[in-house]
Amino acid sequence: MRLTAVHIVVGCLVIAVVAAAAGAMASRVLGSSSSSQSSCNTVQVAHDALPSVVTIYATGPSSSGSGSGAIIRADGVILTNNHVVAEAIPSGSLAVLFNDGQRVPASVVGTDPVSDLAVLKVDRTGLPIMKFGIGDRLAVGQPVVALGAPLGLSGSVTSGIISALGRNVPAPRSDGGTTVLVDAIQTDAPINPGNSGGPLVTCNGALVGVNTAISTVPDSNGQAVGGSVGIGFAVPSSTAQRVSDELLANGKVTHPWVGAQVAEISDAMASRFGTSTGLFVQNVTGGGPADQAGLRVGDIITTLDGSPANSVSLAYFFASAKVGDEVHVQVQRGSQHFETTVKMGEQP
């Protein structure tokens, strides 16, 4: 099996999205709760939640892959990850396998590479739905259950706990570059390639996260090896509901726009060329937010709201900011240093 995107090394771990190549034999695997999570009846969770979980097959011109999803509306609306369906866009095909064994075609309602979420639609009604656990109060250490199709094994269930809350996790985008999973839920419930897009639920079966990425220990070449090491990340349900609502209403998600193209100046590049680290302004759109803030081609943005300016902090900003937000930036222009404020506009 393979991971469908490049890997990002963070510390001594590799962050990788977890959609898998298709082809593994589908089967039912039920993970029982451990004694440390005896308060969570995973058998009941599996019984109640699995009918709302699907396996998604994406076929593109040159490759295919599989992932997971959750039914969020009875008229055939399914929530999943963007990277699960990316191979089928724009000229491939999508199919959904339901828990009852039926397989049907699916279409894309909309995708959002920034949050790594997507919404699909199938021509079926009266489907069992999985409710968002928006009002649920989450706590580090509480039991959770992951459902999906790791390595193509549909109907799989694993259990664990919430290891941490509020993680901001750099992750590869299916269209290139980096995004940040903002306020992600960290869990030790085993998540493997193919779990992507599947739900992370509480013991009452409420969806609190969309399983999206895992950390793996890199080999000597810095590449991901093996499967779960007990560090997985899920996009929180609050983000998933907001994004899915926007996709259903408009077919797209509104994200802030700077109106400038930048490139990161690394420590090595700064040392070589005798300049500051930061983001080098390569292009400025006339009349856009950056232009109105006084930024010019050749400027170096050194800080974003007080944090060092680099590709990760920029990705976090775009993933978390809203249209109308203001960001204070420190800028170097030749030998001059100054501060300005960029007010985010809407992406044209």
Side-chain angles (χ1 to χ4, degrees):
M1 309 301 289
R2 61 175 177 79
L3 297 176
T4 60
V6 297
H7 316 298
I8 296 176
V9 178
V10 180
C12 61
L13 295 174
V14 176
I15 304 296
V17 295
V18 286
M25 182 183 299
S27 67
R28 296 279 174 82
V29 180
L30 177 63
S32 61
S33 60
S34 67
S35 58
S36 63
Q37 291 122 33
S38 58
S39 61
C40 189
N41 187 342
T42 53
V43 174
Q44 189 65 47
V45 173
H47 176 272
D48 294 342
L50 278 177
S52 303
V53 181
V54 300
T55 303
I56 299 167
Y57 300 96
T59 302
S62 59
S63 61
S64 62
S66 67
S68 307
I71 304 167
I72 58 172
R73 278 193 0 191
D75 61 350
V77 175
I78 294 168
L79 174 68
T80 187
N81 280 137
N82 172 70
H83 72 260
V84 168
V85 303
E87 293 182 85
I89 300 173
S91 57
S93 62
L94 290 166
V96 167
L97 176 68
F98 290 95
N99 187 250
D100 62 9
Q102 294 190 48
R103 179 167 170 156
V104 300
S107 59
V108 176
V109 174
T111 64
D112 180 37
V114 174
S115 63
D116 198 3
L117 294 172
V119 172
L120 308 182
K121 183 74 167 63
V122 295
D123 188 18
R124 286 189 65 179
T125 59
L127 295 173
I129 66 171
M130 181 166 290
K131 295 181 179 180
F132 288 100
I134 300 297
D136 289 14
R137 296 183 62 183
L138 303 181
V140 173
Q142 86 175 69
V144 285
V145 178
L147 306 102
L151 307 181
L153 299 170
S154 300
S156 294
V157 178
T158 57
S159 64
I161 62 170
I162 293 177
S163 303
L165 294 167
R167 295 293 198 204
N168 297 315
V169 183
R173 286 176 53 147
S174 59
D175 58 354
T178 302
T179 189
V180 172
L181 308 180
V182 178
D183 290 332
I185 300 168
Q186 181 183 330
T187 179
D188 71 348
I191 297 171
N192 287 284
N195 272 119
S196 272
L200 184 72
V201 304
T202 57
C203 296
N204 63 5
L207 186 152
V208 293
V210 178
N211 298 318
T212 299
I214 58 174
S215 291
T216 59
V217 179
D219 61 16
S220 58
N221 296 317
Q223 298 298 306
V225 292
S228 172
V229 293
I231 304 176
F233 303 98
V235 175
S237 57
S238 55
T239 300
Q241 184 170 61
R242 174 181 60 81
V243 170
S244 61
D245 285 348
E246 282 200 55
L247 290 175
L248 286 166
N250 307 313
K252 64 177 184 177
V253 177
T254 300
H255 289 294
W257 178 60
V258 171
Q261 183 177 355
V262 298
E264 182 174 2
I265 301 175
S266 65
D267 289 338
M269 293 174 63
S271 176
R272 178 180 177 184
F273 294 105
T275 186
S276 300
T277 58
L279 298 170
F280 180 79
V281 179
Q282 297 176 307
N283 180 271
V284 177
T285 302
D291 183 38
Q292 294 178 17
L295 293 177
R296 301 176 187 172
V297 172
D299 287 347
I300 299 173
I301 300 171
T302 56
T303 68
L304 294 168
D305 271 342
S307 298
N310 52 47
S311 59
V312 173
S313 62
L314 184 65
Y316 170 78
F317 177 76
F318 278 118
S320 60
K322 302 183 294 294
V323 173
D325 283 357
E326 295 183 344
V327 57
H328 303 288
V329 298
Q330 293 282 347
V331 181
Q332 177 182 335
R333 179 179 295 163
S335 60
Q336 298 180 330
H337 294 264
F338 63 94
E339 181 176 323
T340 187
T341 299
V342 182
K343 184 175 182 179
M344 299 296 98
E346 182 175 345
Q347 179 75 43

